[in-house]
């Protein structure tokens, strides 16, 4: 058999060709209709979202919001009650050489962290170095221990548990 001599007969419509064409069109129409259906639903939802205003809250919803607000205020008052006490005049005054001022402030901040509190240098960066202030907040149960530690005593903060109440005081560092 010689492939060059075999010619295919010309195409002619017959029942088999019509059936194959119909089957192919049906097979392609099903997914295309699904895509068209999805696109129509998506576009109509987008158009409705743009054209429809948001519904106004009902009186019941306003009541629920007020109830929710009151309950949140009550919970916050219970959970975040003010337990910080500030005693004026109970600060610490230290005389420190001007060149040791920064190291001493860093040590006070470290002691405050060890005691379970925090410290903040309140002096401006342009201060002359003659006087500096540090604001310290610690658990009230460890207040006296921290004051002793700032003065140079050895203390063990783990000996006294930290309570929920806090104590704030100011440390004034002055050059002699």
């Amino acid at each position: 058999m010689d492939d060059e001599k075999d010619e295919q007969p010309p195409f002619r419509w017959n029942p088999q060709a019509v059936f194959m064409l119909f089957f192919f069109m049906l097979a392609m129409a099903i997914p295309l209709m699904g895509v068209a259906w999805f696109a129509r639903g998506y576009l109509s939802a987008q158009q409705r979202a743009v054209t429809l205003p948001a519904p106004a809250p009902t009186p019941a919803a306003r009541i629920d919001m007020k109830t929710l607000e009151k309950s949140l205020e009550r919970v916050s008052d219970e959970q975040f009650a003010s337990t910080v006490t500030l005693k004026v005049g109970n600060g610490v005054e230290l005389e420190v050489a001007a060149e040791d001022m920064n190291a001493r402030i860093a040590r006070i901040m470290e002691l405050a962290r060890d005691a379970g509190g925090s410290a903040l240098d309140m002096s401006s960066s342009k201060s002359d170095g003659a006087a500096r202030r540090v604001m310290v907040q610690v658990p009230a149960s460890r207040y006296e221990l921290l004051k002793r530690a700032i003065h140079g005593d050895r203390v063990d903060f783990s000996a006294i548990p930290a309570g929920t109440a806090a104590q704030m005081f100011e440390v004034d560092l002055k050059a002699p």
Side-chain angles (χ1 to χ4, degrees), residues 81-130:
S82 177
T83 57
V84 176
T85 57
L86 180 61
K87 295 184 179 178
V88 178
N90 284 342
V92 177
E93 291 185 10
L94 298 173
E95 286 190 10
V96 179
E99 59 271 2
D100 296 334
M101 197 77 70
N102 289 332
R104 190 62 182 257
I105 289 174
R107 178 70 180 143
I108 291 170
M109 290 181 170
E110 181 183 338
L111 287 170
R113 276 192 304 273
D114 291 345
S118 61
L120 180 64
D121 186 2
M122 301 298 288
S123 306
S124 68
S125 60
K126 297 178 182 177
S127 63
D128 58 355

Side-chain angles (χ1 to χ4, degrees), residues 42-172:
Y42 177 76
L43 292 175
S44 65
Q46 291 292 327
Q47 186 179 16
R48 272 184 278 148
V50 170
T51 58
L52 294 178
T58 62
R62 280 188 231 121
I63 292 171
D64 290 340
M65 291 301 290
K66 288 180 182 178
T67 306
L68 177 64
E69 183 179 346
K70 287 179 183 177
S71 66
L72 287 174
E73 286 176 358
R74 183 177 42 82
V75 168
S76 68
D77 289 343
E78 290 172 3
Q79 293 294 322
F80 304 111
S82 177
T83 57
V84 176
T85 57
L86 180 61
K87 295 184 179 178
V88 178
N90 284 342
V92 177
E93 291 185 10
L94 298 173
E95 286 190 10
V96 179
E99 59 271 2
D100 296 334
M101 197 77 70
N102 289 332
R104 190 62 182 257
I105 289 174
R107 178 70 180 143
I108 291 170
M109 290 181 170
E110 181 183 338
L111 287 170
R113 276 192 304 273
D114 291 345
S118 61
L120 180 64
D121 186 2
M122 301 298 288
S123 306
S124 68
S125 60
K126 297 178 182 177
S127 63
D128 58 355
R132 304 274 297 267
R133 293 180 344 166
V134 178
M135 186 61 78
V136 180
Q137 178 181 351
V138 292
S141 58
R142 295 180 176 172
Y143 169 69
E144 290 298 326
L145 283 177
L146 182 61
K147 280 180 68 173
R148 288 186 10 218
I150 289 172
H151 283 295
D153 295 344
R154 287 197 173 272
V155 297
D156 181 21
F157 292 115
S158 63
I160 297 177
T164 57
Q167 179 76 40
M168 291 182 75
F169 64 97
E170 187 176 285
V171 178
D172 290 323

